[in-house]
Each structure stands twice: as structure tokens, then as C-alpha cells.
Amino acid sequence: MKKIEVIQNILEANETIANQNQQLLDKHKVFAINIMSAPGAGKTSLILQTLKRLKSKLNMAVIEGDVASTVDAEKVQSETKAVVQINTRNMPESCSLMAAMIEPALKDLPLDNIELLLIENVGNLICPSEFTLGEHKRVVISSLPEGDDKPIKYPLIFIDADVVIINKMDLLPYVDFDIAAFRRSIAGLNPKAEVFQLSCKTSEGIERWCSWVLEQVETNATKL
Amino acid sequence: MFHQMHEFGVTENIVNIALAKAGEAQASKVIQINIVIGEMAGFVPDCIQFYFDSLSKDTIAQGAVLHFELVPAQLRCRNCSTIFHPQDTLWSCPKCQGQSVEIFQGRELYIESMEVE
């Protein structure tokens, strides 16, 4: 028996494919956002609001990572033709999207005609934190009914986020969610994260989010 | 269709790396794979072993033991640079009580070495 030294990152395979995905996106000047949250926090609603508000300004596409249905893709189809549903590809249902699942999805999208790609990850605050997909920005949504302790309970996903969105602000009078405490937790874990407070239902705060998205897409396009 | 945890993809990587390295070393059997895993890495060792047993079937890694070395989580206070092990879910610095902290170690996931024949 002999011992051989290996020292190899096990996640490297995912990171390699993620880098290739990003190169492909950059080549076609597509800006990609990975949207993560617990189930029901409002990923699909945020995508629908973004598509509605920005469709006159940007060409957009959506990748839906739902594990076992096409309901989200069907909703999104009313706003954009360019939708790819991951779970229709004979892939086993997974608790998170991974870079290798995005790679074939990108082949199905008319990348030359797209400026913004919204990727809806699987509803989960644990697993998606370990996998990059090739996105330019990572967005995590927390909604008021979930409680203000989510950054403390699931720190990794918040540590790696570029943006944290507090959704369902219209429910503030009815739930015990301490906005200041939540924002303090985020500031402690990830001082660079931008925080948006909004409601996909009433559209409060959506304008500001959409301006940020538009600015990111434009900045990225000039860099390439 | 069956439901799959994210350890599945990770275990596929482990099998691929192990078989490639064993091939380079002209080994005929993989006996043990030593994996370093951070306390805060979002992967469950038992789940990796479970997938490994099925993914390594009919390869020279079949029956190999996965040995996990756990790296304890360490946080660093952004205010006073104290490095500490988080005691509970509240990550405040034991020295200055600061709440602004970063992960110093504990997210590792790599194959350190292998024992082969």
C-alpha cells in the first residue's frame, strides 16, 4: 500500500464549468443574475416584476431551476419567450442548480439577442450557496414571514451574496420582523452587500431594484 | 426521476479525481481517500459516503474507505482581528463583541491524499 498526495479542490469541476459559462455569457454580452431564496420568498415574483418593468429597455431571458414542475416557467412565459426549464432535461431533481446544468440551457437561448439573463435557483438557503453557475451577481431574497433570523441561521448564502432583497414589505404591519436587526446581521456578515426593501405585490421599491439592474447591465456591457 | 442531494455531484467529482490519480500512480486498487472538509462547508460526510458506494461500483475505487478530516470553523473579527470559534449562532467577537466577522477557515472541501495498492 502506498500513499499518494492529491490536494485537489473537489468543487473545482463546478468552478471550471462556471468560468466557461461566464466566458460564453461575456462573449455574447449577456449579464447574468443568480436568484436564490427559500421556497416562497418571491423569486418568481421578482423575476415577473423585473421582466414587466424592464421589457421595454432590455432583452431578457430566464432559466428556471424548479425541481419538479413547470409552473414557474409557465408564469414567466407570459412575459418573455426566452425561458428554459432545467428539470425538463432528464436531469435528476436536485436541491440546487449547478454550473453543468446551466451549460446546456445556455445553448438553448438566443444569447446574441439577450442582454439580461435571470436564473431562478431551486428554493433552498443551504445547497445553492456552494455552487457558482457563471453568474455576474448573486441575489438572495428574504421575505418578512420567514423571520429576521435567516442570515444568522444560514450565513453562507448571505456571505456570498452581492445583493440581499427584503421582500413582502407590505406585510410589515402584520409580522414580527425587525428590519434593523436583519440589516445589522447582513452588515456584519457581508458589509459589501447591497440591500433592497421591496414588495413584489404592491411594487413598492421595485423601481429602485430595476434601476440597479439596468445600471449593472450597462456597466457590464461597457466593460466587455 | 429521483431526488438528488447536491452531494451527488460532489461525490462524482471525488470518484473522478480518485480514479484519475490512481491511474497516474498505476494503482490497481484505491483503499482509502482522505478528504478535508470544513465544519461550515455545506456537505454531509455520510451522504457523500452513501453516494460514493454506488458511484464507485465496478471501479478500482469500489469498497474504498472515505476518511473525513473535519476543519473547525474559525471566524475573524473585522474590528479587532481576533480569531475565534463561533460558540452559538450569534457570531459576535468574544473580545470586542463586534458583530462584523468573516470566515477565516471552515469552508474547505478537498482531497488531501489517497492510499492505493
Side-chain angles (χ1 to χ4, degrees):
Chain A
M1 191 156 78
K2 65 173 174 178
K3 191 165 179 172
I4 47 179
E5 195 165 276
V6 181
I7 315 285
Q8 191 166 342
N9 179 1
I10 295 167
L11 292 174
E12 200 175 85
N14 183 71
E15 280 153 26
T16 304
I17 301 170
N19 288 338
Q20 288 163 0
N21 288 346
Q22 194 170 89
Q23 279 165 17
L24 181 68
L25 292 166
D26 285 345
K27 194 178 132 198
H28 295 273
K29 294 186 187 280
V30 181
F31 186 78
I33 301 179
N34 179 3
I35 302 173
M36 296 165 283
S37 80
K43 292 182 294 303
T44 311
S45 304
L46 183 75
I47 288 170
L48 286 170
Q49 279 279 13
T50 311
L51 293 173
K52 266 185 205 148
R53 295 290 176 117
L54 292 179
K55 68 180 170 190
S56 60
K57 294 176 180 143
L58 288 176
N59 290 318
M60 293 173 281
V62 178
I63 293 178
E64 284 292 344
D66 198 2
V67 285
S69 75
T70 55
V71 256
D72 290 345
E74 283 158 20
K75 282 186 209 158
V76 169
Q77 245 148 18
S78 60
E79 295 296 332
T80 178
K81 293 229 155 36
V83 188
V84 178
Q85 173 85 37
I86 295 278
N87 72 13
T88 55
R89 309 184 146 272
N90 291 328
M91 284 203 183
E93 297 164 14
S94 177
C95 53
S96 168
L97 288 182
M98 293 172 199
M101 301 174 180
I102 299 300
E103 192 183 24
L106 293 179
K107 294 206 172 84
D108 280 357
L109 289 168
L111 295 180
D112 278 330
N113 302 322
I114 294 167
E115 293 156 286
L116 173 65
L117 173 63
L118 300 169
I119 304 170
E120 177 169 351
N121 215 314
V122 179
N124 186 329
L125 286 177
I126 302 172
C127 315
S129 59
E130 295 290 351
F131 302 97
T132 56
L133 309 175
E135 71 275 25
H136 297 88
K137 294 286 177 190
R138 292 169 76 81
V139 173
V140 177
I141 309 173
S142 256
S143 64
L144 297 198
E146 294 167 55
D148 50 42
D149 58 356
K150 291 299 160 292
I152 294 166
K153 286 188 171 168
Y154 306 98
L156 292 189
I157 203 157
F158 291 95
I159 285 171
D160 295 334
D162 298 295
V163 172
V164 174
I165 289 179
I166 309 174
N167 187 25
K168 308 191 188 179
M169 282 301 292
D170 53 303
L171 296 179
L172 193 56
Y174 314 106
V175 293
D176 295 325
F177 188 104
D178 185 337
I179 300 273
F182 182 91
R183 294 187 75 121
R184 262 199 311 278
S185 301
I186 298 297
L189 293 170
N190 181 356
K192 288 191 185 125
E194 300 223 29
V195 181
F196 293 88
Q197 294 176 204
L198 52 82
S199 164
C200 291
K201 187 161 177 83
T202 65
S203 301
E204 167 199 349
I206 295 288
E207 203 74 55
R208 199 182 143 235
W209 153 253
C210 286
S211 307
W212 180 87
V213 172
L214 203 56
E215 194 189 302
Q216 294 297 317
V217 174
E218 283 163 2
T219 313
N220 188 56
T222 53
K223 264 195 309 202
L224 296 170
Chain B
M1 290 286 227
F2 59 98
H3 191 84
Q4 201 173 73
M5 292 306 291
H6 62 293
E7 279 85 354
F8 186 88
V10 161
T11 311
E12 278 181 321
N13 296 348
I14 292 172
V15 173
N16 291 340
I17 295 168
L19 293 178
K21 294 287 174 182
E24 281 170 28
Q26 296 181 325
S28 58
K29 189 152 181 54
V30 179
I31 310 292
Q32 182 165 315
I33 303 172
N34 298 312
I35 298 168
V36 174
I37 185 166
E39 190 184 335
M40 297 176 72
F43 302 98
V44 180
D46 282 350
C47 188
I48 294 177
Q49 181 75 61
F50 173 79
Y51 283 131
F52 182 85
D53 293 340
S54 84
L55 287 167
S56 64
K57 220 170 161 228
D58 301 324
T59 73
I60 60 165
Q62 182 173 345
V65 174
L66 300 186
H67 177 264
F68 292 92
E69 185 194 329
L70 202 67
V71 180
Q74 286 198 333
L75 307 178
R76 179 162 52 199
C77 175
R78 287 198 184 96
N79 180 39
C80 70
S81 300
T82 299
I83 290 172
F84 61 99
H85 184 265
Q87 292 304 319
D88 50 37
T89 53
L90 287 171
W91 287 4
S92 48
C93 171
K95 198 171 162 201
C96 75
Q97 277 72 51
Q99 303 248 322
S100 186
V101 296
E102 60 190 340
I103 297 177
F104 182 66
Q105 69 166 37
R107 291 191 75 174
E108 299 78 359
L109 184 69
Y110 64 93
I111 299 184
E112 193 258 327
S113 62
M114 293 175 7
E115 278 145 54
V116 297
E117 265 178 5

